């Protein structure tokens, strides 16, 4: 059962907590990546100061900086891959020479001479000299942990190489896991990829968070500058549908280009298709967000003059537009992740699985959708029926629960009949997702006459989408899920969709934060 929020200033307390939650991830990053996190965290300051033009500028800076670092990372991956190939070729040549010695008559004498030479080299003394030079160049002393790890690597070097055993195995035709060869083959590719992936995480974070901020900045700027049409009627619905259809086509065609490139299995075509779509999204989404502000203002005007039915039709379109916006933001992050995954030196399991399973994966599939029920007729629905309801948000809360469970409550209203209905969503904080009073909402779930999640009262318990399973039969879902670490179109996998809402600061409430995701969503999910 939802409990009353005991704090008199819940917004201020939550913001403080959210800000400090970001600091550990921020502090653990390498120095060269700190500028990315610093610029992204600056986005929050613009929101808290309610300066949308400043947020717009900072968002564009993040996108530009992120793309510049993406190009640097792309160059690093290409050069690293080239060096890896070169070292591997040299290692194979050394293997060929050693195997010739191993099967020859002078093998034992060669091994004894090498062992004697290694002992006389005094590797510990040579390491100490190198460390002194390294500290002089760096200007500070190496940590004791680093020194211990380096000395451990050279301790007992002659014993660990085990020359006689290595030569015997080479003579038998073995080439894997031979101690003598480890120094001549390239560094383990998985450890190299992990380091590069941490850089990729920060780069995509900067790009994705910048695009999300740009969307909210453009929406809120347009709310104040774009006046609603006072003579809006049914005839204008077609124009709104056309705007949404054009943007939907842009995303669909971009996804199909990537799908086709994956089927061909050519890395160059995949990267080109990904970057083409990401660029399209970054250039077209700001204007699409502004159009949603016009829709928002028009809905407000329609409700003011009592045109509830027309406001609902427009609200449904606003929901579609916002979900396309969320798909676009996720697609941008997925594009950059997939493009980097095509560089060869990458241990990204999800990207590899997508490339591996693409040949048996349909392009798209239908998501679960309940029976469309008007709010005025919901009470007549059978217990346990899977329904879809829609309406304007009257209330949205996520109060603390006993046991610490996260639960959100929505009250929807139909302006035509004044009917109301309650819905509950597990494991989600909807005010932090940006759902505000006045937004239009569409959701599917199970209708309960006596919901245990709502103090035994009637409510729709919102369905949770099994996106991992759905992704196995849908390229679109599987591709979009590549963005999960940075942005999730379906909050907490809930079968829930809503329209963009204005961001207004109220010290006593969290329910007016249309740009709440920028304040409360983790920069990078584990």
């Amino acid at each position: 059962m939802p409990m009353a929020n005991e704090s008199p200033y819940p917004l201020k307390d939550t913001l403080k907590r959210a800000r400090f939650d970001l600091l550990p991830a921020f502090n653990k990053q390498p120095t060269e990546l700190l500028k990315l996190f610093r610029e992204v965290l600056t986005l929050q300051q613009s929101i808290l100061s309610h300066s949308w033009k400043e947020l717009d500028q900072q968002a564009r800076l993040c996108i530009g900086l992120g793309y510049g670092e993406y190009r640097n990372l792309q160059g690093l991956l290409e050069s690293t891959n080239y060096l890896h190939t070169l070292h591997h070729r040299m290692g194979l040549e050394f293997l060929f020479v050693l195997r010739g010695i191993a099967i020859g008559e002078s093998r034992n004498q060669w091994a004894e001479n090498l062992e004697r030479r290694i002992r006389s080299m005094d590797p510990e003394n040579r390491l100490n000299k190198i460390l002194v030079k390294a500290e002089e160049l760096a200007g500070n002393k190496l940590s004791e942990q680093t020194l211990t790890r380096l000395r451990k690597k050279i301790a007992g070097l002659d014993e660990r190489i085990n020359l006689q055993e290595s030569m015997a195995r080479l003579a038998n035709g073995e080439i894997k896991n031979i101690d003598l060869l480890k120094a001549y083959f390239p560094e383990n590719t998985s450890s190299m990829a992990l380091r590069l992936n941490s850089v990729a995480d920060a780069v995509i974070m900067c790009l994705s968070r910048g695009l999300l901020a740009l969307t909210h900045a453009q929406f809120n700027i347009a709310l104040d500058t774009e006046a609603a049409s006072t003579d809006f009627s049914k005839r204008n619905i077609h124009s709104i549908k056309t705007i949404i259809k054009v943007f939907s086509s842009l995303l669909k065609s971009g996804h199909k280009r990537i799908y086709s490139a994956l089927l061909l299995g050519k890395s160059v075509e995949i990267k080109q298709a990904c970057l083409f779509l990401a660029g399209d999204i970054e250039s077209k989404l700001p204007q699409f967000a502004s159009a949603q502000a016009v829709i928002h203002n028009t809905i407000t005007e329609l409700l003011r003059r009592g045109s509830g039915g027309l406001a609902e039709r427009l609200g449904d379109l606003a929901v579609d537009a916002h979900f396309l916006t969320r798909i676009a933001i996720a697609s941008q992050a997925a594009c950059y992740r997939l493009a980097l995954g095509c560089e060869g030196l990458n241990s990204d399991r999800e990207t590899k699985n997508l490339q591996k399973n693409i040949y048996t994966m349909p392009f798209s599939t239908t998501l679960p959708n309940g029976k469309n029920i008007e709010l005025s007729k919901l009470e007549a629905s059978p217990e346990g029926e899977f329904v879809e309801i829609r309406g304007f948000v009257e209330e949205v809360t996520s109060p603390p629960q006993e046991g610490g469970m996260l639960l959100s409550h929505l009250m929807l209203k139909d302006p035509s009949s004044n009917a109301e209905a309650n819905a509950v969503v597990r494991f989600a904080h909807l005010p932090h997702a940006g759902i505000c009073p006045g937004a239009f909402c569409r959701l599917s779930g199970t209708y309960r006459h006596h919901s245990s999640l709502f103090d035994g009262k009637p409510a729709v318990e919102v369905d949770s989408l099994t996106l991992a399973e759905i992704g196995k039969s849908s390229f679109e879902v599987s591709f979009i899920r590549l963005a999960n670490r940075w942005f999730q179109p379906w909050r907490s996998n809930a079968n829930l969709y809503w329209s963009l809402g204005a961001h207004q600061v109220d010290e006593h409430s969290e329910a007016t934060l249309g740009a709440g995701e920028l304040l409360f969503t983790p920069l990078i999910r584990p």
Side-chain angles (χ1 to χ4, degrees):
M1 171 184 175
M3 298 165 56
N5 200 322
E6 298 175 357
S7 172
Y9 300 108
L11 176 58
K12 185 179 292 184
D13 294 342
T14 309
L15 282 175
K16 287 180 180 178
R17 188 164 59 250
R19 182 77 180 189
F20 283 112
D21 286 346
L22 294 173
L23 292 179
F26 177 75
N27 288 333
K28 290 178 182 178
Q29 297 302 318
T31 305
E32 63 270 18
L33 298 181
L34 288 181
K35 60 181 177 182
L36 298 179
F37 284 85
R38 191 177 298 114
E39 296 299 340
V40 167
L41 289 173
T42 303
L43 294 170
Q44 292 187 336
Q45 297 175 7
S46 302
I47 298 171
L48 296 175
S49 63
H50 220 258
S51 176
W52 300 115
K53 290 186 177 180
E54 183 181 308
L55 179 64
D56 180 270
Q57 293 173 357
Q58 185 64 25
R60 293 178 191 275
L61 174 62
C62 286
I63 294 173
L65 179 62
Y67 185 72
E69 290 299 324
Y70 163 77
R71 297 296 292 181
N72 289 338
L73 178 59
Q74 189 180 39
L76 178 61
L77 284 166
E78 289 173 355
S79 60
T80 304
N81 196 32
Y82 171 77
L83 288 173
H84 172 266
T85 304
L86 180 63
H87 290 165
H88 189 75
R89 188 185 305 125
M90 292 173 63
L92 289 175
E93 291 175 358
F94 184 70
L95 169 63
F96 178 77
V97 172
L98 279 182
R99 195 168 187 282
I101 297 172
I103 61 177
E105 296 179 357
S106 60
R107 183 182 78 189
N108 291 336
Q109 184 62 45
W110 183 89
E112 289 174 5
N113 291 341
L114 183 58
E115 285 178 341
R116 194 180 306 114
R117 185 176 178 82
I118 291 174
R119 292 192 191 99
S120 65
M121 285 169 55
D122 192 3
E124 185 171 357
N125 183 48
R126 295 185 67 183
L127 176 63
N128 288 334
K129 291 180 179 178
I130 293 171
L131 292 176
V132 170
K133 290 183 179 179
E135 289 178 344
E136 287 177 0
L137 291 172
N140 57 350
K141 287 190 171 293
L142 296 173
S143 67
E144 196 61 39
Q145 183 181 5
T146 301
L147 294 173
T148 302
R149 187 171 67 249
L150 290 172
R151 291 197 172 101
K152 186 177 180 181
K153 283 184 176 292
I154 65 168
L157 186 63
D158 54 335
E159 297 177 5
R160 286 189 287 113
I161 288 179
N162 202 343
L163 281 171
Q164 294 292 351
E165 181 184 342
S166 295
M167 297 303 286
R169 291 178 62 189
L170 282 169
N172 291 331
E174 297 180 45
I175 60 173
K176 292 184 177 180
N177 299 321
I178 295 178
D179 294 330
L180 182 58
L181 292 175
K182 288 180 180 179
Y184 295 92
F185 275 96
E187 182 181 358
N188 184 277
T189 56
S190 62
S191 63
M192 176 71 75
L194 287 172
R195 289 202 299 272
L196 293 174
N197 282 344
S198 67
V199 179
D201 285 347
V203 169
I204 298 173
M205 174 271 300
C206 192
L207 286 159
S208 179
R209 195 54 65 103
L211 186 61
L212 177 62
L214 184 59
T215 299
H216 283 289
Q218 287 290 310
F219 177 80
N220 282 278
I221 289 172
L223 280 179
D224 297 331
T225 58
E226 299 290 341
S229 174
T230 55
D231 58 348
F232 189 88
S233 64
K234 292 180 181 179
R235 295 190 304 273
N236 303 113
I237 290 287
H238 177 73
S239 300
I240 302 294
K241 286 183 177 179
T242 301
I243 293 171
I244 295 172
K245 185 177 180 180
V246 168
F247 192 78
S248 177
S249 298
L250 180 146
L251 295 178
K252 186 73 70 175
S253 61
H255 289 163
K256 287 182 177 179
R257 276 195 300 270
I258 296 171
Y259 181 63
S260 300
L262 283 167
L263 287 172
L264 293 173
K266 296 182 178 180
S267 296
V268 174
E269 281 81 354
I270 296 170
K271 284 189 287 186
Q272 288 176 345
C274 286
L275 294 179
F276 190 86
L277 177 57
D280 265 356
I281 290 170
E282 288 161 2
S283 63
K284 301 293 195 305
L285 187 56
Q287 186 178 0
F288 192 59
S290 298
Q292 291 174 70
V294 177
I295 297 174
H296 180 279
N297 286 342
T298 303
I299 290 173
T300 303
E301 173 62 23
L302 290 172
L303 291 173
R304 187 191 64 79
R305 72 188 197 198
S307 301
L310 192 55
E312 285 184 81
R313 289 184 61 184
L314 204 52
D316 234 359
L317 293 176
V319 168
D320 293 338
H322 182 225
F323 185 63
L324 284 174
T325 299
R326 300 184 70 79
I327 292 295
I329 295 171
S331 295
Q332 180 225 26
C335 280
Y336 285 112
R337 183 178 183 184
L338 181 56
L340 289 170
C342 293
E343 296 294 347
L345 191 63
N346 195 291
S347 63
D348 186 340
R349 186 176 62 183
E350 290 180 329
T351 300
K352 287 183 176 179
N353 285 341
L354 177 61
Q355 293 174 292
K356 177 183 176 181
N357 301 326
I358 191 67
Y359 305 104
T360 59
M361 189 182 292
F363 178 72
S364 62
T365 190
T366 304
L367 296 177
N369 187 30
K371 180 182 178 182
N372 191 2
I373 300 291
E374 295 179 15
L375 297 189
S376 59
K377 300 177 181 179
L378 182 62
E379 290 185 356
S381 299
E383 168 71 17
E385 184 170 26
F386 189 51
V387 299
E388 179 187 76
I389 60 173
R390 64 196 71 202
F392 288 97
V393 177
E394 282 286 295
E395 293 180 16
V396 53
T397 57
S398 185
Q401 303 293 309
E402 295 179 1
M405 184 178 76
L406 194 58
L407 188 73
S408 288
H409 162 243
L410 280 170
M411 179 187 286
L412 303 184
K413 183 175 182 178
D414 178 351
S416 300
S417 63
N418 287 325
E420 295 178 344
N422 291 295
V424 285
V425 185
R426 299 179 185 87
F427 314 121
H429 196 300
L430 297 186
H432 289 180
I435 300 181
C436 307
F440 197 78
C441 188
R442 183 172 67 229
L443 58 89
S444 291
T446 305
Y447 179 64
R448 301 294 184 191
H449 291 291
H450 306 284
S451 173
S452 61
L453 301 177
F454 195 57
D455 197 24
K457 299 175 184 178
V460 175
E461 297 177 357
V462 177
D463 177 43
S464 181
L465 297 168
T466 55
L467 294 174
E469 193 64 31
I470 293 171
K472 295 177 182 178
S473 57
S474 170
F475 160 76
E476 282 191 303
V477 173
S478 186
F479 172 70
I480 289 165
R481 290 189 74 245
L482 292 179
N484 270 2
R485 298 193 65 199
W486 304 276
F487 185 78
Q488 296 178 348
W490 294 275
R491 289 287 297 206
S492 304
N493 292 349
N495 199 341
L496 168 72
Y497 309 88
W498 68 97
S499 63
L500 268 171
H503 185 91
Q504 299 171 343
V505 177
D506 182 349
E507 282 291 347
H508 301 278
S509 174
E510 298 177 335
T512 59
L513 305 176
E517 276 185 302
L518 286 166
L519 296 172
F520 302 108
T521 304
L523 298 181
I524 304 174
R525 290 182 174 87

